[in-house]
Amino acid sequence: MQVVSISSLKGGVGKTSVTMGLASAALAAGLPTLVVDLDPHADASTGLGVRPGGGTDVGRLLKNARRADIQASAVPSGWLSRVPAGSAGPRGPVLDVAFGGAYAGIYDRPDLGPRDLRRLRTLLGKTSRYALVLIDCPPSLNGLTRMAWTASNKVLLVAEPSLFSVAGTERALRALQLFRREFAPDLSTAGVVANRYRPASAEQRFRLEEMRSMFGDRLLSPVVPEQADWQQIQGAAYAVHHWPGDAARQAAGHFDELLRGLTDSGGRRNRLARAGHPTA
């Protein structure tokens, strides 16, 4: 089971959008997937069309990590109703959501000890239903993000080609290195996704080249461009792979490629090792 944290230390860069794009690609590929909405704002849960009903939100699951069952408490994404019959294997498509809520905010503080940091890892250790777990983290380095990193195999960083976002990504890479040394020696950096790129902007072209210079092979391909109808897609609670139009098909192709890079762990490690990055 691959567990990937999608992180950013700056808000507004489209971290949740990237999480949802990867979930859409996983659904299209028939990969059994769980999205853990660890951001107390719960935007990923909304965009995934979750109707929690009587389920248990992820914050309360964390509080009772030893006894709780994340697989039993997860709810199906509303996207599943639009998947053509028989398109995701004989067992049908699997895209579940451990839905978020404000209660998780009790753990989003800087003073969590090792026992609290292991709560999500304990929860995920009880399930074998999924091939992929995507964790949508808050845009901070407080307890919830560090809890997600403790539970993960990889961290995928999301950045916009802008001054403050690039600087925040550099800080995040340094923070990852320190966190790995102290808490999670097996944690790897999946790379950096450049999101919401506008090629018509001279400033963004400059910042993208800066990112290539700063991050080298850790900057993933493809770059994800700004998409005019992205808010409409999310507002309708649709997977990008199910949305009509050429722009949506192109975006879906970008996320398909990013997902292949995430799941091709051996090839990724080799490429980073050849580039001299110890984070591989």
Side-chain angles (χ1 to χ4, degrees):
M1 185 169 73
Q2 292 269 8
V3 183
V4 182
S5 287
I6 294 89
S7 298
S8 170
L9 300 192
K10 183 184 181 302
V13 300
K15 168 185 56 63
T16 298
S17 297
V18 169
T19 303
M20 292 170 61
L22 290 170
S24 179
L27 179 60
L31 198 64
T33 298
L34 172 69
V35 176
V36 179
D37 189 356
L38 214 56
D39 191 331
H41 290 106
D43 291 337
S45 300
T46 301
L48 284 157
V50 166
R51 291 180 171 82
T56 304
D57 66 84
V58 72
R60 288 176 172 81
L61 293 175
L62 291 171
K63 183 179 180 180
N64 300 292
R66 290 187 178 181
R67 297 186 298 274
D69 185 338
I70 195 170
Q71 181 175 311
S73 299
V75 297
S77 167
W79 294 356
L80 295 177
S81 64
R82 304 182 183 98
V83 178
S87 63
R91 294 186 300 171
V94 175
L95 178 57
D96 290 345
V97 185
F99 60 92
Y103 192 88
I106 65 173
Y107 294 109
D108 206 25
R109 59 183 200 267
D111 60 342
L112 291 190
R115 179 179 176 181
D116 282 330
L117 292 179
R118 290 192 292 269
R119 287 177 181 271
L120 182 56
R121 186 171 72 184
T122 298
L123 280 172
L124 293 176
K126 301 175 185 179
T127 179
S128 58
R129 174 176 170 81
Y130 310 104
L132 177 66
V133 177
L134 300 171
I135 307 174
D136 188 33
C137 299
S140 69
L141 194 53
N142 284 330
L144 288 172
T145 294
R146 293 185 294 124
M147 194 184 290
W149 289 2
T150 301
S152 296
N153 310 114
K154 303 175 182 179
V155 176
L156 180 68
L157 297 174
V158 180
E160 193 178 18
S162 65
L163 173 62
F164 298 134
S165 179
V166 173
T169 303
E170 188 177 27
R171 290 195 302 272
L173 285 168
R174 290 199 300 267
L176 262 172
Q177 187 174 12
L178 292 172
F179 186 84
R180 182 184 302 112
R181 189 178 304 157
E182 187 169 357
F183 295 106
D186 296 328
L187 183 64
S188 69
T189 305
V192 179
V193 176
N195 190 40
R196 293 182 172 172
Y197 175 55
R198 299 189 300 275
S201 165
E203 169 67 10
Q204 288 223 339
R205 292 197 304 271
F206 173 82
R207 294 300 173 191
L208 183 60
E209 289 305 314
E210 184 179 49
M211 292 173 74
R212 289 185 174 122
S213 176
M214 291 173 65
F215 305 137
D217 196 49
R218 287 174 291 188
L219 183 64
L220 301 180
S221 178
V223 172
V224 180
E226 180 72 65
Q227 185 169 329
D229 57 355
W230 192 253
Q231 288 191 354
Q232 186 180 4
I233 294 172
Q234 292 180 333
Y238 262 70
V240 67
H241 287 69
H242 299 153
W243 195 258
D246 291 339
R249 280 192 292 272
Q250 290 174 3
H254 294 323
F255 286 113
D256 288 340
E257 190 170 347
L258 288 171
L259 181 67
R260 284 193 293 270
L262 276 180
T263 53
D264 180 20
S265 57
R268 178 70 185 160
R269 282 196 299 269
N270 291 337
R271 289 194 296 275
L272 285 174
R274 288 196 298 270
H277 295 304
T279 57

